[in-house]
Amino acid sequence: MSVVRIEGKEYAIRQIFSDDFEFTIPAYQRPYSWDSEKAEALLNDLLSALGHENKASEDIEPYFLGCIVLIKDNSRYAEVVDGQQRLTTLTILLAALRASLPDQYAKPIVKYICQIGNLLDGTSNRYRLKLRERDEDFFKEYIQDEDGIEELRTLNDAELSDSQKLIRANALLFLNRLQGIQNESELLFSYYSNNFNESSPESYSLDYSENIPEPQRIRLAQFIIHRCFLVVVSTPNLETAYRIFAILNDRGFNISLADILKSEIIGKIDKEQQNKYAKKWEDAEEKLGRKNFEELFSHIRTIRRKVKPNRNLLDELREYVIKPINSSQYFIDDTLCRYAKAFYKIQKPYDEANRLVDQLKCIFAWLNKITHFDWLPPAIAYLAIPNLDTLSLVQFFTDLERLAAGLMILGINNNARFRRYGQLLELIEKGQFAKLFEFNSPLQLTLLEQNKIINILNGDLYLMNRFSRYVLLRLDTELSGSGASYNHDIITIEHVLPQSPSPGSNWEKLFPSKEEREKKYLHCLGNLVLLARSKNSQAQNYDFEYKKKVYFTRDNNTSPFTLTSLVLMEEEWNPKVIEERQIKLMKVLKDTWRLQDDSGDVQLSFFDIPGIELE
């Protein structure tokens, strides 16, 4: 059994950025991602640890910056498995200090950023930290090279990648804090973006309230170089380095599941192919956004497993997704990129680049409003199938929205939902697409389920908080001919017949029986409207005519909701009007979701199995 050498040692920053190390960020690593909040927190922590006393640097308590993990043998070359964010941010901070100090203090900082070449020896500059290929030249030109950092002020963010924007923002943050200019970067960016075409940046007053005096800047540079420390854990073995990386993640370090998988998967690809596949990975991550990209792996696990997880997500992905494929390139091409593309279309249906037909855009928008997300794995799996025609896609997703809305209305618990969607995934995986639309398919609501949904919708809809808003907005869309757009900051549900009519009001005359009023009419669909405003407890009790004019309409005496506009056309509001409206609106919902209230023979519902409980 071979012995794997693992070394852990504490190093001061002066040793970290020295000839002992030449750091490289591998292509499979995620881009630089620290935002200004994290960068400023680091600077504030360092300043706090430094203090304002005139202590010599050797008398200041040492400051621990955490742990980094390297793949490194006996040479100086080191691949950074964990620590990219800190090493990059520290380099940016040193570059800002170099630009903010007099030459006699700035020159010594240079060697911690770059080993200067020697013309006589025929050597060129060697940078202490080499970023990923995408950002390497940018980082050299604007951070590592002397005087480059000031040129960042002239750049327009629109021309930069996300990681370059963050590097620029953090560099200007440090530079402005050290030079006592708090807001200059924002002003200059506005200027160079032509937002202040007729002015110059000099015409704006700058905030110097956070000025760090020159003696304190000198002390800060000395403190970082001599009294700040990193623990370096290194091993020459790639697999061992990843294992350490994963263990640190389990101990609470800020490493994501996607980072670990990226390291493992791309790390197994031949060196000459790593940049190509790292770019594919990063393109998918950047397009989806980090949060949705992390979520995608959970959906991929479900697509492959089709059952609820019984172990941690990382282990199940390794066991049931990555291991069976046994090809990193195939996983990225066939699984990750294909499903990421489908997920993006579902999450951002109105992005023109997706080129979706209007029907699918509308259906995806409604699915995204469902209160559970178990429908997403089958949605991603089906949309990722190549060469499906538009008609098949519209048919499937129309039925999927019907199913998801139905399960939400029925209040089915997550265990039963997972089983239902798992059965759906089985059919999709087997390519049995015709069976999806048969009456006994898991995609279709049974007659018993349809009956239950109709009974629920015919009841006290207002009290069904988990889905009432969805139902009313869905109904309003159908009433408007599917042309409604709901971009209002506030949307509330309101009663026409108020919940607590004033004693002696006309409401009590029209609805004299309190018991009948509350049990039959008050919370039913026919008595509800939508408002693009907050509720007004006083206005709720107005009589019908005044309520229409003052409460239900905007300044132009209209409502943005068809459901409410229909009420404005009524001359009075009485039991007959509510009953007729209830029947009409229920018919629209039945037609929308193809709900039958046939009381004849019905097949067994998926949720009438003993032991399955409703939420």
Side-chain angles (χ1 to χ4, degrees), residues 28-45:
Y28 55 77
Q29 288 280 26
R30 61 169 165 158
Y32 180 69
S33 61
W34 267 25
D35 57 22
S36 294
E37 184 178 349
K38 289 187 177 71
E40 187 159 31
L42 173 64
L43 177 57
N44 289 337
D45 287 347

Side-chain angles (χ1 to χ4, degrees), residues 67-115:
C67 177
I68 62 174
V69 180
L70 308 176
I71 301 170
K72 185 178 182 297
D73 52 24
N74 293 324
S75 71
R76 68 171 184 264
Y77 300 104
E79 282 193 10
V80 180
V81 177
D82 178 34
Q84 174 195 181
Q85 309 301 324
R86 276 161 292 174
L87 291 172
T88 305
T89 308
L90 284 168
T91 302
I92 296 171
L93 180 52
L94 288 173
L97 281 164
R98 180 185 61 191
S100 305
L101 291 172
D103 282 352
Q104 64 266 37
Y105 295 102
K107 290 297 182 184
I109 294 176
V110 171
K111 71 175 183 179
Y112 300 110
I113 299 173
C114 173
Q115 180 180 325

Side-chain angles (χ1 to χ4, degrees), residues 129-145:
L129 175 65
K130 181 181 177 182
L131 294 197
R132 298 156 57 258
E133 185 177 1
R134 277 184 167 186
D135 300 323
E136 181 183 356
D137 290 340
F138 177 87
F139 197 65
K140 285 179 183 177
E141 180 177 357
Y142 294 107
I143 300 298
Q144 292 170 312
D145 287 346

